[in-house]
C-alpha cells in the first residue's frame, strides 16, 4: 500500500514535471503558402510579409494593429520641414537585435542600420545591392529611387531624409514592409565571413519574434524575442503551419490544430458561423481583385480590345459563383472605403454583342487566341482564381476568343508576371497604407509599368499621379485621383472584378486577435487562453 | 440415316479440343468478379462512344442560374441536372459522361503506345542477347527504379502540363512492364522446337520475331495491358488532380475532383461522383485483369 501511494506521488511529480514546460504558450497559424523568402524588401506578396516583415522586423513607423493609423516604431518621433521635403526621425534607444548561432549583435539598433537598409535598395553601387535577389520591386514601384535625395545621420539616433519633391504619404510609406530595417552590423559580419547572402537567408531583425526554423511548404517556427523593445510577446512560440488547401485549413482549425487561418473557402463560411468554438471575424477588405491585360503584347495594346474584354465577361456571375456573395462588384481600382473613390464612374455592362463589335473594329472579328493566368493560391481578393479563369474562358469563348488557362507555383507565378510573360493575368492587391496612391500609382503609374501586371504607362494618367503626390492638400488630391479613375476606366488596362470582404475564423481561446485592414496577420499582442 | 449422319460429326467434335476462344470463355465465365468488371467496362465503353448523345448538356456549358444544385433525389434537385451541378453551374452528369470518354481515350492511347514500344524493345532485347539486351534492360530498370507517379511528374514537368503530355508521361511509366514481360516470354519461346524449325526452313528475323514468336507471348501481355489500363487511368487522374494533366475546361475526372475539393463539406456530390467514377473504372479493369490472368495462365488452369 505504501509503495503504491509512493508510486502515485512519483506519478504526480512526473506529470507535473512534464506539465510545466507545456505552459509555454504556442499559437499556431495555418498560413496559406510558403514565403518567397525572409527579406521583405525583395518581395511584394502578403504571404511573405506575414512571415517576414510583420514578425521578424520593425520599421521606422508602424501601423497600429487593426487600424490604418501610423504610430512610432523604431523612430520615436519625427518632424517634417515646412516645404515637406525634409523628414527628421528621432530613433528609439535600446532596441535589441535577435541573435543566432552565427551572429550576436554587439550594439543596439542605431542610425547606421537605417541608412544601410535604404541605401542597399537605393544605390546600385552599394556593396549589398546585388546580394541575393538584387531586385527591390516595392521600393522601385513606390518611386523611391527618384524621390530620395539624401539620407544622413546627424548623430547615432537621428536620421534626416531629404526628398526631391514633397511626398504626401511618406510617413505611411515608412511603415510598409519593404522598409523593414536590417542590421548593418550583421551585414558587415556576413560580408567578412564571405557569406553576404546569409543576411537574407538567416534573418536577424528587431521584431517581436525570431526565426527558429523553416521547412518549405511545411512549417515556420518562431519564438518570442525576449528583449523586444515593446516588451516580450504574450505568446512564447509562434508556428506557421503551411497549409495551401483552404478545406484542410478549416479542418485543422475545427480540430484545434490551428488557432487562426486566413482565406476561408466562401463555401465553408456558413459552417464557421455555426461552430461554437469559432469566432468568425469579418471586415470589408482594403483590396481589389482584377484581371489585367498586358498592354505591351498584341492585341492588348489596342484599347478597343481591352474594352471588348470588359464587355465580354459577366462580372455578376463571377461574384455569385466565386465569391459566393463575400465580394462587392468593383468598378474602380480602389475600394470604396478609401477616400477619393469616384462613384460617378460607369462600369462596362455585360454586353457580348458590343464586345464583338469592338473586336471587329479592331480587326479581330474572327477572334484570337490568348492565355489567362490564374494564381494557384487563394488570396484575400480572389478566393479561387482557377474557377474565375474558367468562367472568363467560357465568356470569352462566346465572343470568339479562345483562351488557355495557365498557372505556376505562386513564387514562380509572380516572378514570371513581373517579367511580363503573361497576356492576361488574374491578380489583385491589398492596400498597405490606406492611401489612394498605394493603389493608383503603385499599380498603374509609369514607375510601376516595368513590373506591373498590365505594364501600362499612360502619360495623361501618370501626370495626374505625379501632381497628386506633390501636394498634401487632400481636396486637391481627391480631385486628381477622381479624374485618374475616369481615365483608367476609359483606357481599361484591367477588368476590375471585386473587392472582397475578408473573413477570418479564429478559435475562441485566442484573445485580442485583430483583423488588419491591409490584410496582414499580426501576432504581437495576441494572447491565448490555456 | 439422318440420325447416323448427325451422330458421327457430333462424336468427332467432342473428341477434338475446343477452340481456344471457347475454352478461354469457359474459364473466364467462372470468375463472377471478372464478368462484372467486363460488364462495367462495356458500359463505360458505350458511354464514352455515345457521350454526345447521352449527355443532357454540353460538358463545358455553365448554367449560371443553377450553381451547386444537388442531385435530383435531394431537396432542391431537379431532373434538369440529374446528378447536380458544380460551383460554376456545369452539369455533373454531362461532365462525367464526357469524362468517361477522356479516361477511355487515355487508357487506349497509353496502352497502345506502351505496348507498341514495349513489345518492340522486349523482342529486340530477347532476340539479340549481349550488349543490346543489356542496354535496353538496364534502361528499363532505371525507369522501374523510380516511383511511377514521380516519374510521370518529372516527364510532365519537362514537357509541360496538358492531357497529351500526361498521356505520354504515363506511357513511359507503363513501358518497362511490357518490355520485361515480352523479353521473358521470348526467352522461353526461343528454345522451343517450333522456333528452331522455323529457323531451319529459312525464316528471316522479322518473320521469326513478329509472326513466329510474338503470337505465343501474347497471353501475359493481354493481362498486363488490361491491368495497365487501370494504372493509366488512375495515374492520369492523379496528374490531373495535381494540375499537371487535363487543362480546363476538359471534363477529366481527376481534374474535376481536385477543383471540387473545397466543397467537400458543403456539396458532397461535386467531389464524390468523379471520385466514384474513377474508383469504379479502376476496379472494373482490375477485376477483369485478374479474370483474364486466371483464364489465360496455363498454370492456373484446373
Amino acid at each position: 500500500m505504501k509503495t503504491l501511494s509512493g508510486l502515485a506521488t512519483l506519478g504526480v511529480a512526473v506529470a507535473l514535471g512534464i506539465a510545466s514546460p507545456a505552459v509555454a504558450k504556442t499559437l499556431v497559424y495555418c498560413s496559406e503558402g510558403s514565403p518567397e523568402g525572409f527579406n521583405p524588401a525583395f518581395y511584394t506578396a502578403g504571404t511573405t510579409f506575414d512571415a517576414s516583415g510583420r514578425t521578424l522586423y520593425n520599421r521606422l513607423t508602424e501601423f497600429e494593429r487593426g487600424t490604418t493609423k501610423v504610430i512610432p516604431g523604431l523612430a520615436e518621433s519625427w518632424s517634417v520641414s515646412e516645404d515637406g521635403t525634409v523628414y527628421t526621425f528621432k530613433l528609439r534607444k535600446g532596441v535589441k537585435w535577435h541573435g543566432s548561432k552565427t551572429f550576436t549583435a554587439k550594439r543596439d539598433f542605431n542610425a547606421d542600420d537605417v541608412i544601410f537598409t535604404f541605401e542597399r535598395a537605393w544605390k546600385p553601387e552599394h556593396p549589398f545591392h546585388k546580394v541575393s535577389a538584387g531586385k527591390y520591386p516595392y521600393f522601385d514601384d513606390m518611386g523611391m529611387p527618384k524621390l530620395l535625395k539624401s539620407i544622413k545621420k546627424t548623430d547615432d539616433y537621428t536620421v534626416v531624409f531629404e526628398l526631391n519633391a514633397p511626398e504626401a504619404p511618406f510617413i505611411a510609406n515608412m511603415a510598409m514592409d519593404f522598409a523593414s530595417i536590417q542590421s548593418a552590423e550583421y551585414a558587415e559580419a556576413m560580408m567578412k565571413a564571405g557569406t553576404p547572402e546569409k543576411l537574407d537567408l538567416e534573418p536577424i531583425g528587431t521584431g517581436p519574434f525570431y526565426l527558429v526554423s523553416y521547412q518549405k511548404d511545411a512549417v515556420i517556427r518562431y519564438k518570442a524575442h525576449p528583449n523586444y523593445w515593446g516588451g516580450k510577446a504574450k505568446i512564447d512560440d509562434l508556428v506557421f503551419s503551411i497549409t495551401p488547401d483552404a478545406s484542410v485549413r478549416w479542418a485543422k482549425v475545427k480540430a484545434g490544430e490551428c488557432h487562426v487561418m486566413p482565406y476561408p473557402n466562401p463555401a465553408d463560411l456558413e459552417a464557421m458561423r455555426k461552430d461554437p468554438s469559432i469566432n468568425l471575424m469579418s471586415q470589408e477588405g482594403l483590396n481589389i481583385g482584377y484581371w489585367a491585360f498586358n498592354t505591351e503584347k498584341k492585341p492588348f495594346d489596342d484599347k478597343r480590345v481591352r474594352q471588348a474584354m470588359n464587355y465580354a465577361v459577366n462580372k455578376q456571375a463571377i461574384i455569385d459563383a466565386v465569391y459566393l456573395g463575400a465580394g462587392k462588384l468593383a468598378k474602380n481600382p480602389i475600394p470604396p472605403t478609401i477616400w477619393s473613390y469616384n462613384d460617378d464612374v460607369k462600369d462596362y455592362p455585360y454586353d457580348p454583342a458590343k464586345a464583338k463589335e469592338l473586336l471587329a473594329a479592331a480587326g479581330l472579328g474572327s477572334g484570337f487566341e490568348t492565355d489567362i493566368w490564374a494564381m494557384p493560391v487563394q488570396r484575400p481578393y480572389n478566393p479561387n482564381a482557377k474557377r474565375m479563369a474558367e468562367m472568363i474562358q467560357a465568356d470569352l469563348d462566346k465572343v470568339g476568343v479562345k483562351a488557355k488557362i495557365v498557372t505556376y507555383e505562386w513564387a514562380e507565378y509572380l516572378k514570371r508576371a513581373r517579367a511580363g510573360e503573361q497576356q492576361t493575368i488574374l491578380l489583385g492587391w491589398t492596400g498597405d497604407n490606406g492611401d489612394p496612391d498605394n493603389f493608383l500609382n503603385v499599380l498603374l503609374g509609369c514607375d510601376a509599368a516595368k513590373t506591373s501586371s498590365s505594364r501600362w504607362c499612360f502619360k495623361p494618367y501618370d501626370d495626374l499621379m505625379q501632381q497628386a503626390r506633390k501636394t498634401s492638400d487632400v481636396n486637391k488630391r481627391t480631385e486628381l485621383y477622381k479624374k485618374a479613375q475616369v481615365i483608367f476606366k476609359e483606357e481599361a488596362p484591367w477588368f476590375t472584378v471585386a473587392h472582397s470582404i475578408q473573413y477570418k475564423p479564429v478559435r475562441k481561446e485566442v484573445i485580442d486577435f485583430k483583423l488588419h485592414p491591409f490584410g496582414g496577420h499580426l501576432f504581437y499582442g495576441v494572447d491565448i487562453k490555456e | 440415316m439422318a440420325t447416323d449422319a448427325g451422330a458421327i460429326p457430333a462424336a468427332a467434335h467432342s473428341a477434338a479440343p475446343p477452340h481456344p476462344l471457347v475454352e478461354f470463355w469457359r474459364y473466364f465465365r467462372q470468375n463472377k468478379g471478372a464478368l462484372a468488371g467486363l460488364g462495367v467496362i462495356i458500359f463505360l465503353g458505350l458511354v464514352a462512344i455515345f457521350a454526345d448523345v447521352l449527355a443532357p448538356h454540353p460538358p463545358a456549358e455553365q448554367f449560371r442560374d443553377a450553381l451547386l444544385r444537388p442531385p435530383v433525389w435531394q431537396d432542391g434537385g431537379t431532373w434538369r441536372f440529374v446528378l447536380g451541378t458544380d460551383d460554376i453551374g456545369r452539369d455533373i452528369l454531362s461532365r462525367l459522361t464526357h469524362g468517361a470518354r477522356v479516361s477511355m481515350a487515355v487508357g487506349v492511347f497509353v496502352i497502345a503506345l506502351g505496348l507498341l514500344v514495349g513489345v518492340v524493345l522486349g523482342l529486340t532485347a530477347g532476340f539479340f542477347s549481349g550488349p543490346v539486351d543489356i542496354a535496353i534492360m538496364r534502361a528499363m530498370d532505371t525507369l522501374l527504379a523510380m516511383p511511377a507517379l514521380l516519374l510521370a511528374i518529372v516527364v510532365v514537368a519537362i514537357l509541360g502540363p496538358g492531357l497529351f503530355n500526361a498521356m505520354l508521361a504515363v506511357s513511359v511509366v507503363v513501358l518497362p512492364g511490357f518490355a520485361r514481360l515480352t523479353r521473358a516470354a521470348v526467352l522461353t519461346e526461343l528454345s522451343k522446337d517450333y522456333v528452331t524449325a522455323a529457323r531451319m526452313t529459312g525464316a528471316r528475323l522479322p518473320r521469326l520475331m513478329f509472326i513466329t514468336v510474338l503470337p505465343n507471348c501474347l497471353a501475359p501481355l493481354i493481362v498486363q495491358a488490361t491491368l495497365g489500363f487501370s494504372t493509366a487511368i488512375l495515374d492520369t487522374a492523379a496528374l490531373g488532380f495535381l494540375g499537371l494533366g487535363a487543362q480546363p475546361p476538359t471534363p477529366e475526372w481527376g481534374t474535376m475532383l481536385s477543383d471540387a475539393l473545397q466543397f467537400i463539406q458543403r456539396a458532397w456530390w461535386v467531389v464524390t461522383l468523379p471520385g466514384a467514377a474513377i474508383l469504379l473504372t479502376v476496379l472494373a479493369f482490375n477485376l477483369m485483369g485478374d479474370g483474364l490472368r486466371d483464364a489465360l495462365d496455363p498454370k492456373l488452369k484446373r
Side-chain angles (χ1 to χ4, degrees):
Chain A
M1 205 53 211
K2 218 171 189 180
T3 42
L4 243 177
S5 72
L7 269 178
T9 331
L10 191 73
V12 170
V14 167
L16 279 176
I18 291 165
S20 55
V23 172
K25 291 184 189 172
T26 305
L27 188 133
V28 184
Y29 165 62
C30 268
S31 66
E32 76 284 11
S34 294
E36 298 157 276
F38 285 100
N39 185 346
F42 296 150
Y43 311 106
T44 54
T47 313
T48 307
F49 293 155
D50 279 343
S52 58
R54 289 159 191 160
T55 38
L56 301 171
Y57 293 104
N58 287 120
R59 288 138 296 276
L60 289 177
T61 56
E62 301 272 351
F63 290 110
E64 192 176 46
R65 206 159 57 92
T67 71
T68 59
K69 209 178 116 194
V70 179
I71 55 169
L74 292 178
E76 273 182 322
S77 65
W78 52 87
S79 59
V80 191
S81 69
E82 278 293 315
D83 63 350
T85 57
V86 181
Y87 285 76
T88 311
F89 291 92
K90 289 266 173 221
L91 304 184
R92 195 178 291 279
K93 287 175 185 156
V95 174
K96 304 280 183 226
W97 293 97
H98 304 156
S100 76
K101 266 177 250 158
T102 46
F103 174 75
T104 315
K106 289 191 191 68
R107 64 165 173 83
D108 293 348
F109 154 79
N110 68 21
D112 291 333
D113 300 317
V114 178
I115 292 173
F116 168 77
T117 302
F118 287 98
E119 288 200 336
R120 176 180 185 189
W122 178 26
K123 297 189 168 161
E125 71 275 13
H126 190 275
F128 270 87
H129 185 79
K130 290 208 166 58
V131 170
S132 304
K135 287 206 174 92
Y136 304 85
Y138 227 119
F139 190 82
D140 294 342
D141 292 354
M142 301 278 298
M144 295 294 275
K146 262 196 254 165
L147 182 71
L148 292 173
K149 193 169 174 191
S150 72
I151 306 171
K152 288 193 193 90
K153 65 170 187 175
T154 47
D155 61 63
D156 268 356
Y157 291 96
T158 314
V159 183
V160 182
F161 283 72
E162 216 180 315
L163 310 184
N164 282 319
E167 164 87 352
F170 188 72
I171 290 292
N173 291 353
M174 287 295 102
M176 289 164 59
D177 295 277
F178 81 91
S180 296
I181 303 297
Q182 310 261 324
S183 167
E185 190 193 351
Y186 183 41
E188 203 178 307
M190 290 302 110
M191 190 60 114
K192 260 188 205 146
T195 52
E197 65 284 351
K198 272 204 180 169
L199 176 64
D200 307 308
L201 297 175
E202 294 170 14
I204 297 278
T206 56
F209 299 94
Y210 65 90
L211 184 70
V212 177
S213 66
Y214 168 52
Q215 258 180 296
K216 192 175 189 307
D217 295 333
V219 67
I220 317 174
R221 290 178 193 281
Y222 304 93
K223 267 190 186 308
H225 180 23
N227 303 318
Y228 185 56
W229 56 269
K232 188 184 155 293
K234 289 175 191 152
I235 48 174
D236 301 295
D237 294 285
L238 176 64
V239 179
F240 279 27
S241 169
I242 299 167
T243 317
D245 189 285
S247 318
V248 179
R249 281 204 295 278
W250 167 227
K252 280 184 165 181
V253 170
K254 225 173 21 175
E257 279 180 54
C258 303
H259 297 100
V260 184
M261 69 171 267
Y263 320 129
N265 269 328
D268 293 331
L269 290 176
E270 227 9 77
M272 291 173 184
R273 251 180 225 119
K274 284 186 195 135
D275 196 311
S277 62
I278 304 293
N279 179 10
L280 182 64
M281 304 173 79
S282 72
Q283 188 180 52
E284 209 162 288
L286 206 61
N287 59 38
I288 169 81
Y290 58 81
W291 175 39
F293 313 113
N294 187 342
T295 55
E296 275 180 353
K297 284 199 177 168
K298 277 193 181 308
F300 298 103
D301 53 343
D302 188 332
K303 181 171 100 181
R304 288 168 299 189
V305 177
R306 303 197 297 260
Q307 288 175 338
M309 298 293 106
N310 269 279
Y311 281 116
V313 176
N314 186 348
K315 204 179 283 189
Q316 188 58 48
I318 292 179
I319 305 277
D320 293 343
V322 177
Y323 292 84
L324 299 166
K328 260 190 175 168
L329 272 185
K331 59 181 182 181
N332 286 324
I334 56 171
T337 40
I338 288 191
W339 54 272
S340 84
Y341 180 81
N342 192 344
D343 211 14
D344 299 330
V345 168
K346 270 236 161 1
D347 202 3
Y348 296 98
Y350 172 52
D351 188 351
K354 178 94 180 145
K356 271 188 190 162
E357 227 170 78
L358 279 164
L359 284 177
L364 293 163
S366 51
F368 59 96
E369 278 181 22
T370 187
D371 56 27
I372 304 174
W373 285 33
M375 55 235 169
V377 289
Q378 291 105 346
R379 303 304 308 149
Y381 44 77
N382 190 339
N384 192 341
K386 209 170 153 208
R387 274 291 189 251
M388 193 185 283
E390 282 181 55
M391 297 188 76
I392 294 173
Q393 184 184 42
D395 280 340
L396 291 188
D397 196 54
K398 286 179 199 148
V399 297
V401 178
K402 298 265 170 283
K404 203 176 117 214
I405 296 174
V406 178
T407 190
Y408 297 100
E409 186 264 325
W410 183 221
E412 182 73 12
Y413 184 86
L414 292 173
K415 203 173 117 200
R416 285 178 187 245
R418 276 201 284 274
E421 290 180 24
Q422 74 279 14
Q423 285 205 313
T424 76
I425 183 169
L426 289 171
L427 211 60
W429 184 255
T430 302
D432 33 22
N433 66 8
D435 196 281
D437 180 81
N438 184 242
F439 283 79
L440 296 170
N441 186 35
V442 171
L443 301 176
L444 294 155
C446 284
D447 282 338
K450 279 192 292 308
T451 52
S452 77
S453 44
S454 58
R455 309 180 89 75
W456 183 65
C457 176
F458 190 61
K459 194 80 184 22
Y461 178 93
D462 196 57
D463 286 346
L464 291 173
M465 288 302 113
Q466 296 313 325
Q467 278 177 42
R469 306 188 77 176
K470 290 195 178 87
T471 165
S472 47
D473 178 356
V474 173
N475 288 334
K476 226 188 213 164
R477 290 184 74 200
T478 307
E479 206 51 44
L480 293 165
Y481 286 134
K482 281 196 168 168
K483 251 190 238 165
Q485 289 168 57
V486 175
I487 297 179
F488 165 84
K489 203 75 224 177
E490 168 65 23
E491 290 294 316
W494 295 353
F495 172 77
T496 51
V497 185
H499 310 293
S500 77
I501 297 164
Q502 59 158 332
Y503 286 96
K504 229 137 269 177
V506 176
R507 288 194 65 84
K508 284 265 163 70
E509 56 263 35
V510 176
I511 305 167
D512 200 28
F513 179 79
K514 284 183 184 156
L515 290 181
H516 195 42
F518 307 139
H521 303 87
L522 287 92
F523 297 100
Y524 178 69
V526 178
D527 201 355
I528 197 156
K529 256 184 257 170
E530 280 152 49
Chain B
M1 211 38 212
T3 42
D4 274 8
I8 295 158
H13 181 81
S14 70
H19 187 275
L21 275 179
V22 176
E23 194 198 356
F24 157 75
W25 177 245
R26 194 190 299 152
Y27 280 107
F28 187 77
R29 209 173 43 183
Q30 287 166 8
N31 189 334
K32 294 286 175 283
L35 274 184
L38 181 66
V40 172
I41 289 165
I42 291 174
F43 171 74
L44 282 172
L46 291 175
V47 167
I49 292 166
F50 298 107
D52 289 328
V53 189
L54 290 172
H57 306 285
E61 178 152 5
Q62 304 173 358
F63 297 93
R64 289 182 179 163
D65 51 339
L67 306 176
L68 285 178
R69 281 287 162 81
V72 63
W73 60 87
Q74 265 195 320
D75 277 355
T78 58
W79 279 104
R80 191 164 159 230
F81 306 110
V82 178
L83 294 180
T85 59
D86 68 5
D87 55 324
I88 48 178
R90 292 178 297 200
D91 181 43
I92 304 248
L93 178 61
S94 310
R95 287 181 72 71
L96 287 178
T97 322
H98 282 268
R101 176 179 281 182
V102 173
S103 288
M104 288 293 160
V106 164
V108 170
F109 177 86
V110 166
I111 295 307
L113 188 67
L115 204 56
L116 190 74
V117 180
V119 163
V120 170
L121 286 177
L123 279 174
T124 320
F127 271 83
F128 303 92
S129 47
V132 180
D133 181 22
I134 289 170
I136 293 177
M137 290 333 283
R138 289 305 80 78
M140 293 301 117
D141 286 349
T142 316
L143 290 181
L144 274 177
M146 278 179 267
L149 195 57
L150 202 63
L151 180 62
I153 290 175
V154 169
V155 176
V156 173
I158 295 168
L159 297 175
L163 187 58
F164 183 73
N165 290 345
M167 292 199 289
L168 284 183
V170 180
S171 304
V172 172
V173 170
V174 296
L175 182 65
F178 291 120
R180 290 187 70 96
L181 214 54
T182 314
R183 175 178 173 272
V186 165
L187 288 182
T188 18
E189 294 299 317
L190 274 184
S191 59
K192 290 195 178 155
D193 291 346
Y194 75 95
V195 183
T196 320
R199 275 215 175 105
M200 298 291 287
T201 52
R204 259 176 289 171
L205 191 63
R207 190 186 168 84
L208 269 180
M209 277 166 102
F210 292 101
I211 298 176
T212 315
V213 174
L214 183 59
N216 291 296
C217 310
L218 276 185
L221 285 177
I222 291 172
V223 176
Q224 175 72 10
T226 319
L227 292 171
F229 218 93
S230 70
T231 318
I233 292 174
L234 199 61
D235 282 357
T236 314
L239 286 176
F241 186 87
L242 295 172
L244 298 171
Q247 296 300 307
T250 315
E252 200 270 325
W253 292 341
T255 321
M256 284 171 75
L257 190 62
S258 78
D259 285 352
L261 206 58
Q262 57 161 318
F263 293 97
I264 195 158
Q265 296 180 18
R266 177 177 147 154
W268 62 267
W269 59 91
V270 195
V271 195
T272 317
L273 296 173
I278 297 173
L279 174 76
L280 201 67
T281 313
V282 170
L283 187 66
F285 274 103
N286 279 343
L287 285 175
M288 190 173 95
D290 279 350
L292 279 179
R293 193 189 55 208
D294 293 353
L296 289 174
D297 190 342
K299 286 185 214 110
L300 290 172
K301 276 182 187 162
R302 276 142 297 185

